[in-house]
């Protein structure tokens, strides 16, 4: 069936779809039973260390069970659960020894926490551009951003697709940099068959409501380095030490612990993950096959090393000139046709008021601390990161829950986009011109 003669829903025509896409989160009786089990046990909270006196003889902590299961799932030796993905980044940076005076290279096309976690340990985030086709940290840009002060790099497995770790690890090794993988989008994802987060010195995950596994909030660090794992556990529990008295504190830490309720839900969510990710991959591949035939639509490149994508997002670029509709109008029209979508980040991270005003601590710290002898002006990154700038202007994001629908629902997405293309002339007179 063709919709050529249809008016676009945005101009009063009939929408392609009025059926909702699958809701997120997905849960059933198993999550309910798990929650009730914790509730009735009275063990709502876990001591950070098994040596705690009232843990003796009690059922195994759900947090302990979950962090072990998740680390194993991603292929790392240790898992340390924590309050959220931002905390996971802060704790792993601190545990690996990143601190005042250090620079940490991050991409600017990511959630703000990737950069603010660096500031939270008094280190300096430095932005390097992303690759045009994969939206992940560009190795050449990373290498160009390295100085004598660079201590670490945080590649983000954006949208659930592995970053170019072979090149990044090679650069990191040559310059003695720590690698912390931000895998907040990457539950179940892989790089060359290895679980995301397990490849660098540490990897971090989020279980916030939008992520592919969720308990509303939650986070986790994975690492195979025993000393790093012990420090992560200590830092998430106010600097305590395994085997030492509860009220004895050895280092400056946070209370970033996860509750037993969250872990009980996440144990069930983990059981659903692989089947859900498989479905996302099948539907994403189908969408890519269909959408790449349309003029002005450029789907995200899936490199060979991204052996398992978790598709936290399904992304493509809109070329406004080729397609004949501005992105603002495209997004609005697609929504009205019944397909949820967004343009993602309005601008790269360095253009947030936070960075432009350097409103971190008093007196510009940590940029002007005695520890730091560099000179960073966040307004200069715009010229250095053209791909991130373009991504913010051109990207279209669909949500991972949409990929949990059926093939006929993917056809609706394709039909809606085709309809907007075929009816592109309806926009003339109704709105401004396509931007140059
Ligand atoms: C969600 C997210 C985080 C932070 O996780 P929270 O649990 O929300 O603190 C970090 N990095 C990326 C890329 C994210 O998408």
């Amino acid at each position: 069936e063709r919709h050529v003669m249809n008016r676009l829903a945005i101009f009063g025509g009939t929408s392609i779809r009025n059926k909702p896409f699958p809701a997120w989160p997905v849960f059933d009786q198993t999550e309910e039973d798990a929650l009730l089990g914790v509730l009735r046990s009275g063990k709502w909270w876990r001591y950070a260390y098994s040596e705690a006196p009232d843990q003796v003889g009690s059922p195994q902590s759900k947090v302990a069970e979950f962090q072990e299961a998740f680390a194993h799932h991603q292929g790392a030796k240790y898992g340390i659960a924590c309050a959220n993905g931002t905390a996971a980044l802060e704790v792993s940076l601190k545990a690996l020894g990143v601190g005042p005076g250090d620079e940490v290279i991050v991409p600017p096309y990511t959630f703000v926490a990737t950069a603010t976690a660096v500031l939270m340990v008094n280190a300096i985030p430095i932005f390097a551009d992303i690759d045009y086709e994969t939206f992940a940290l560009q190795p050449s840009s990373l290498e160009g951003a390295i100085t004598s002060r660079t201590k670490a790099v945080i590649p983000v497995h954006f949208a659930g697709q592995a970053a170019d770790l072979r090149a990044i690890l090679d650069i990191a090794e040559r310059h003695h940099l720590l690698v912390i993988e931000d895998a907040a989008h990457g539950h179940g994802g892989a790089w060359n068959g290895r679980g995301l987060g397990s490849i660098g010195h540490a990897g971090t995950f989020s279980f916030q409501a939008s992520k592919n596994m969720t308990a509303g909030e939650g986070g986790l660090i994975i690492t195979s380095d025993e000393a790093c794992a012990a420090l992560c556990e200590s830092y998430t529990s106010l600097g305590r030490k395994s085997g030492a008295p509860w009220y004895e504190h050895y280092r400056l830490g946070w209370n970033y612990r996860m509750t037993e309720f969250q872990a009980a839900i996440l144990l069930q969510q983990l059981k659903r993950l692989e089947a859900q990710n498989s479905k996302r991959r099948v539907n994403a591949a189908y969408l890519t096959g269909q959408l790449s035939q349309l003029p002005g639509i450029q789907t995200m490149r899936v490199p060979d090393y991204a052996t398992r994508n978790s598709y936290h997002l399904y992304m493509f670029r809109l070329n406004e000139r080729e397609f004949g509709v501005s992105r603002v109008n495209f997004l609005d029209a697609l929504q009205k046709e019944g397909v949820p979508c967004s343009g993602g980040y309005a601008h790269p991270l360095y253009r947030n008021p936070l960075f432009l005003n350097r409103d971190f601590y008093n007196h510009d710290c940590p940029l002007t601390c005695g520890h730091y002898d560099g000179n960073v002006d966040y307004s200069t990154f715009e010229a250095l990161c053209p791909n991130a700038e373009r991504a913010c202007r051109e990207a279209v994001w669909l949500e991972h829950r949409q990929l949990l629908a059926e093939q006929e629902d993917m056809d609706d997405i394709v039909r809606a986009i085709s309809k907007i293309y075929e009816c592109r002339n309806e926009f003339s007179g109704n709105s401004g011109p396509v931007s140059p």
Side-chain angles (χ1 to χ4, degrees):
E1 75 229 79
R2 309 291 287 170
H3 293 268
V4 180
M5 305 312 288
N6 246 1
R7 275 179 83 71
L8 288 169
I10 192 176
F11 298 130
T14 309
S15 61
I16 292 282
R17 226 184 126 78
N18 40 40
K19 183 172 132 200
F21 282 89
W24 186 259
V26 173
F27 63 94
D28 65 13
Q29 191 72 40
T30 58
E31 274 85 357
E32 284 188 38
D33 291 347
L35 269 180
L36 277 175
V38 172
L39 184 78
R40 291 179 178 140
S41 76
K43 302 274 180 198
W44 297 355
W45 172 84
R46 169 192 176 240
Y47 264 173
Y49 301 108
S50 53
E51 293 83 358
D54 86 337
Q55 293 285 100
V56 176
S58 66
Q60 203 205 358
S61 150
K62 296 289 175 199
V63 172
E65 191 181 334
F66 173 66
Q67 61 188 15
E68 193 177 308
F70 191 82
H72 181 257
H73 189 87
Q74 294 300 126
K77 273 195 194 155
Y78 308 100
I80 303 91
C82 61
N84 54 64
T86 307
L89 283 163
E90 292 170 13
V91 166
S92 55
L93 284 162
K94 197 162 178 196
L96 289 168
V98 176
D102 295 331
E103 291 179 351
V104 178
I105 300 175
V106 300
Y109 192 76
T110 175
F111 183 64
V112 70
T114 314
T116 50
V118 174
L119 286 161
M120 289 293 185
V121 298
N122 299 307
I124 313 294
I126 299 291
F127 296 99
D129 205 4
I130 56 168
D131 178 78
Y132 178 73
E133 291 179 300
T134 64
F135 297 88
L137 189 63
Q138 186 184 50
S140 58
S141 185
L142 160 65
E143 187 139 38
I146 293 172
T147 71
S148 58
R149 293 173 290 269
T150 310
K151 178 87 176 231
V153 53
I154 310 182
V156 179
H157 301 300
F158 201 79
Q161 174 163 301
D164 187 357
L165 286 185
R166 186 181 305 286
I168 292 168
L169 291 172
D170 176 62
I171 293 165
E173 203 163 298
R174 278 192 279 113
H175 295 271
H176 309 290
L177 308 183
L178 296 160
V179 178
I180 296 158
E181 302 172 63
D182 183 342
H185 298 180
H187 319 75
W191 170 83
N192 279 329
R194 297 170 67 187
L196 298 183
S198 74
I199 304 141
H201 296 88
T204 64
F205 292 83
S206 164
F207 306 111
Q208 180 267 341
S210 72
K211 311 293 156 106
N212 292 34
M213 274 178 61
T214 181
E217 298 280 6
L220 193 134
I221 304 147
I222 59 174
T223 181
S224 292
D225 174 341
E226 191 179 353
C228 173
L231 280 173
C232 287
E233 182 145 282
S234 179
Y235 284 130
T236 54
S237 193
L238 300 120
R240 291 187 169 93
K241 197 157 93 178
S242 185
W246 182 247
Y247 287 122
E248 210 159 278
H249 305 272
Y250 291 82
R251 49 186 71 86
L252 182 60
W254 296 269
N255 173 6
Y256 276 167
R257 294 184 301 263
M258 176 182 277
T259 71
E260 290 285 287
F261 293 107
Q262 290 166 288
I265 293 178
L266 290 169
L267 278 163
Q268 302 309 316
Q269 295 273 299
L270 180 56
K271 291 181 189 157
R272 303 175 186 285
L273 178 68
E274 285 311 314
Q276 288 173 334
N277 278 352
S278 299
K279 185 150 203 183
R280 290 178 181 120
R281 281 193 286 273
V282 169
N283 280 328
Y286 180 76
L287 264 183
T288 296
Q290 301 288 310
L291 292 180
S292 51
Q293 294 167 29
L294 297 178
I297 304 285
Q298 189 186 343
T299 56
M300 185 169 170
R301 186 168 76 84
V302 182
D304 290 342
Y305 54 75
T307 45
R308 280 202 312 272
N309 274 12
S310 54
Y311 281 104
H312 175 62
L313 301 168
Y314 181 87
M315 292 172 69
F316 58 88
R317 285 171 188 279
L318 180 76
N319 182 320
E320 297 182 331
R321 288 185 152 270
E322 279 178 36
F323 194 88
V325 177
S326 72
R327 190 180 62 155
V328 168
N329 286 340
F330 176 89
L331 292 168
D332 204 4
L334 191 54
Q335 289 273 7
K336 299 285 192 320
E337 294 298 336
V339 178
C341 57
S342 92
Y345 308 120
H347 44 64
L349 286 185
Y350 48 75
R351 288 217 266 135
N352 276 289
L354 165 72
F355 290 103
L356 294 177
N357 303 336
R358 300 151 67 114
D359 199 358
F360 308 136
Y361 297 90
N362 292 334
H363 314 298
D364 263 9
C365 239
L367 286 182
T368 53
C369 284
H371 291 285
Y372 187 61
D373 57 4
N375 184 13
V376 181
D377 175 355
Y378 285 104
S379 70
T380 61
F381 286 104
E382 184 173 341
L384 297 172
C385 301
N387 291 336
E389 294 285 332
R390 265 185 90 171
C392 291
R393 288 196 303 269
E394 299 177 353
V396 176
W397 293 6
L398 305 182
E399 302 164 37
H400 65 84
R401 69 181 177 93
Q402 291 166 271
L403 299 176
L404 295 177
E406 303 306 319
Q407 195 179 90
E408 67 206 44
D409 301 295
M410 301 304 107
D411 286 328
D412 280 347
I413 297 174
V414 176
R415 268 200 297 271
I417 295 173
S418 306
K419 181 182 169 189
I420 299 170
Y421 177 70
E422 284 161 12
C423 299
R424 62 195 178 281
N425 291 335
E426 288 182 25
F427 282 98
S428 49
N430 287 299
S431 61
V434 170
S435 58

